[in-house]
Amino acid sequence: MIAALLRSELRKTRSTKLWWGLLVPVALLTLLVNLFGGVFTLALGAGPDAEDRLPLLLASLAYSLALAATFSGVYGAISAAGEFRHRTITTTYLTAPGRGPVLVAKLLVAAGVGAVYALVTAVVGAFGGLVGQESTQFPETGALLGVVAIGAGVCALWGALGAALGTALGNQVTVLVLLLVYVLLGEPLLSLLLTANDSPAVAGISAYLPVNAGEVALYDVPARVLVGPADGAELLGLAAGVSGPPSWWGGLLVLAGWAAVTGALAGVVGGRRDIT
Amino acid sequence: MVANSGRIGTVTSPRGDDGSGRITVHGLTKRFGPVSAVEDLTFAVERGTVTGFLGPNGSGKTTTLRMLLGLVAPTAGEARINGLRFGELPHPARVVGAVLEAQGFHPARSARAHLAACAAAIRVPDAAVGHVLTAVGLDTAAGRPVGGFSLGMAQRLALATALLGDPQVLVLDEPANGLDPEGIAWLRAFVRGFAAQGRTVLVSSHALAEVEQTVDHVVVINRGRCVHQGPLARLRGRPRVLVACPDPARLAEALTKAGLGEIESRRDGRLAVTGADPARVGDVALAAGVAVHGLEAERVDLEQLYFGLTAGAR
């Protein structure tokens, strides 16, 4: 049942330009970020006296993956809400045994597209990094693959989260504005407010917000590789703008939790919505 | 045709439904806030028939069909196809195909890609895509983006989508919209042929003339309520009596008590009593002590009756 709907959603995805239309900026941004080093390079001052061994590529790659995650969310949101915009949702529901399976198939395909974004980011990023960061050592394969795998997970979760949000709201403009304002403005502001709080418990909440959780997952490995396990958490908190971050798998779990909650919301709201 | 009519529904359906090809609507009600769109609607559509679902625009036809297809949740009552609610059908698109108003397509997707995505969802082979494209005459336009389609072409594509699962029941909401006269004639023949195979068609329209040549049965609704249902022949033949009376309210009350409830007030002040003969109306008036200034038997033509049934829509 899900397999048939997955095939259907894949065919829908492949027959429109959205997925690669968003992949183009992902690839371009990734190339730029990794050519010029990204935030970590700037933050750590990779000057002439910087240690030759610093695998900054790992950090700039993680940063590009965080960007790719936002695009994954945007893809999921636009594609899911697009069914309502173009009124194709009627046909989708008429050809499926229930709305629940449709939602599951949509979340899975959006997650798949997110993972593809992450893999393209990894390939383009590694290429850009090799060209632009030749003074630094290429990171260890294990750490590199780890960051890429975590990135695939984060992008997949953001794809699913976006699709769930798109289904729950059912309006392309609303979901796009809401998602971008929250990711680019809302959560950074919220994090600033939280981390400024004197209570460590309140400040610690910042690491459990969805965007931050994804960044925690992404920056954990690079931070530890850059400054060692002891100071890794501090650098991680700095990079993700949070206080008291969990480890990468904790971040992934938190993000998965947010995706699950949004998915459940989409199931309830989308399941009851009258398609008129 | 006769040989075909037994093909569907005589064996237990492999789809998990009763295979009857029957649509049943019982006490169906939908309120949007304080607005009542459909009120206590009950009717049945039998297999092998074409039923016209008639009513003025805004009378609740589309809402009813969307409730039947599980797209809108009823406030009360239920609608079943093959004995199951739409949401309970394991393979809905193989049981019922629907062409609805405001059913959309992605403008950048080709007709073939649209159908291929649907074919995957309903688990029919991709070859079915070519078959339905041929059936509706869209072969040559299949590779073009749907955004460039005319209304008539889009309507044909919607029908192709509905037919993809080779369904037993077809639900069409104002299917003639956007079709040219040639297309309408083609659609009529198609619908008749579909029903002749022992399948079921429910077709809505705001204009009786549009479906008059196609339907066997009619369900007429007005302001969300059923005002008439039965064979088209019965609707066609029903006599009416026009009564001129100085006290129409009292006469109407007496007539209703006497079982002649299908009464409406006409603009000229007369009452139109459907399903009665002049003698009976005269007797009732006499018994009630109401003066009658004129009695006229009328055999309305279909269109007139339809307008009478659906008067006061807005």
Side-chain angles (χ1 to χ4, degrees):
Chain A
M1 184 165 80
I2 293 290
L5 294 178
L6 273 177
R7 247 160 63 87
S8 179
E9 289 300 327
L10 272 176
R11 286 182 171 185
K12 285 182 200 167
T13 301
R14 285 210 322 257
S15 56
T16 51
K17 297 170 185 165
L18 179 64
W19 76 272
W20 63 261
L22 284 171
L23 185 56
V24 171
V26 168
L28 286 177
L29 278 172
T30 299
L31 195 62
L32 285 176
V33 164
N34 290 286
L35 272 174
F36 298 116
V39 280
F40 273 86
T41 320
L42 296 172
L44 296 175
D49 56 340
E51 278 191 44
D52 209 29
R53 292 179 49 79
L54 278 186
L56 286 175
L57 175 60
L58 217 49
S60 59
L61 204 56
Y63 178 70
S64 339
L65 285 166
L67 287 174
T70 302
F71 278 90
S72 305
V74 167
Y75 169 80
I78 292 185
S79 67
E83 286 252 40
F84 294 91
R85 178 184 167 193
H86 300 298
R87 294 171 179 268
T88 48
I89 194 70
T90 296
T91 309
T92 299
Y93 284 162
L94 287 178
T95 50
R99 297 184 184 184
V102 170
L103 178 64
V104 172
K106 279 190 181 304
L107 298 193
L108 287 176
V109 168
V113 171
V116 168
Y117 285 6
L119 294 180
V120 171
T121 300
V123 172
V124 174
F127 170 75
L130 281 178
V131 173
Q133 303 174 16
E134 49 190 320
S135 64
T136 60
Q137 198 185 45
F138 202 72
E140 278 175 43
T141 316
L144 185 68
L145 289 181
V147 168
V148 171
I150 293 167
V154 169
C155 289
L157 286 171
W158 270 106
L161 205 155
L165 213 57
T167 303
L169 295 174
N171 183 301
Q172 234 175 19
V173 177
T174 310
V175 70
L176 196 59
V177 169
L178 212 71
L179 183 70
L180 287 179
V181 165
Y182 178 78
V183 169
L184 301 177
L185 208 69
E187 191 168 317
L189 280 177
L190 197 58
S191 306
L192 276 180
L193 285 176
L194 285 169
T195 47
N197 197 291
D198 290 337
S199 154
V202 174
I205 297 174
S206 56
Y208 295 89
L209 299 173
V211 179
N212 290 343
E215 294 191 348
V216 164
L218 279 169
Y219 297 151
D220 187 17
V221 173
R224 275 195 256 180
V225 170
L226 279 172
V227 296
D231 302 323
E234 201 179 329
L235 178 60
L236 173 58
L238 207 67
V242 301
S243 157
S247 62
W248 64 266
W249 57 267
L252 266 187
L253 274 181
V254 169
L255 184 57
W258 281 104
V261 167
T262 318
L265 182 77
V268 173
V269 176
R272 291 183 185 171
R273 177 182 286 122
D274 282 346
I275 310 298
T276 53
Chain B
M1 279 193 197
V2 175
N4 267 345
S5 66
R7 192 171 68 81
I8 292 164
T10 48
V11 289
T12 309
S13 166
R15 295 169 298 244
D17 50 72
D18 69 7
S20 63
R22 217 167 167 254
I23 298 173
T24 52
V25 170
H26 187 80
L28 202 61
T29 301
K30 180 66 182 183
R31 298 191 191 98
F32 294 104
V35 183
S36 174
V38 176
E39 195 67 44
D40 197 21
L41 194 60
T42 299
F43 65 86
V45 179
E46 301 298 333
R47 154 176 171 249
T49 68
V50 181
T51 297
F53 189 41
L54 304 172
N57 290 326
S59 58
K61 299 189 301 290
T62 298
T63 304
T64 302
L65 296 182
R66 285 186 171 260
M67 284 195 277
L68 174 66
L69 296 164
L71 295 165
V72 168
T75 309
E78 59 174 25
R80 289 172 183 267
I81 303 170
N82 280 11
L84 295 176
R85 291 193 190 94
F86 185 88
E88 299 165 348
L89 293 167
H91 300 291
R94 297 196 205 169
V95 174
V96 54
V99 176
L100 298 177
E101 275 191 313
Q103 189 172 11
F105 307 100
H106 194 293
R109 198 174 279 140
S110 74
R112 191 184 301 280
H114 160 80
L115 290 168
C118 296
I122 57 188
R123 284 188 278 174
V124 293
D126 288 345
V129 171
H131 295 155
V132 293
L133 280 168
T134 309
V136 302
L138 274 181
D139 302 84
T140 51
R144 279 160 45 193
V146 182
F149 276 22
S150 68
L151 200 55
M153 289 165 81
Q155 199 70 337
R156 283 167 186 268
L157 180 56
L159 183 62
T161 312
L163 296 175
L164 204 50
D166 193 22
Q168 192 181 358
V169 177
L170 198 56
V171 174
L172 308 170
D173 193 9
E174 303 273 359
N177 278 358
L179 288 181
D180 51 21
E182 193 192 348
I184 290 174
W186 173 84
L187 184 69
R188 275 183 190 145
F190 175 83
V191 163
R192 291 292 347 160
F194 191 84
Q197 294 169 27
R199 307 190 200 208
T200 314
V201 183
L202 179 61
V203 52
S204 87
S205 178
H206 64 278
L208 177 59
E210 217 169 70
V211 293
E212 196 182 335
Q213 299 168 34
T214 322
V215 302
D216 314 296
H217 284 73
V218 287
V219 174
V220 185
I221 70 166
N222 189 22
R223 292 174 170 176
R225 290 174 184 277
C226 178
V227 290
H228 176 86
Q229 61 177 302
L232 183 67
R234 180 144 55 98
L235 179 65
R236 202 189 297 271
R238 298 192 82 201
R240 259 188 3 165
V241 176
L242 304 179
V243 202
C245 168
D247 192 352
R250 259 183 70 202
L251 179 61
E253 197 187 318
L255 287 166
T256 308
K257 271 189 194 151
L260 298 170
E262 282 184 65
I263 306 166
E264 50 167 298
S265 298
R266 287 166 48 106
R267 287 224 177 98
D268 61 10
R270 291 192 291 179
L271 291 179
V273 189
T274 307
D277 60 86
R280 178 108 172 86
V281 174
D283 289 348
V284 170
L286 182 65
V290 184
V292 167
H293 294 172
L295 266 176
E296 185 192 332
E298 180 205 45
R299 285 188 74 85
V300 288
D301 78 273
L302 220 44
E303 205 67 35
Q304 244 180 325
L305 180 72
Y306 172 67
F307 276 127
L309 287 171
T310 60
R314 294 277 171 189

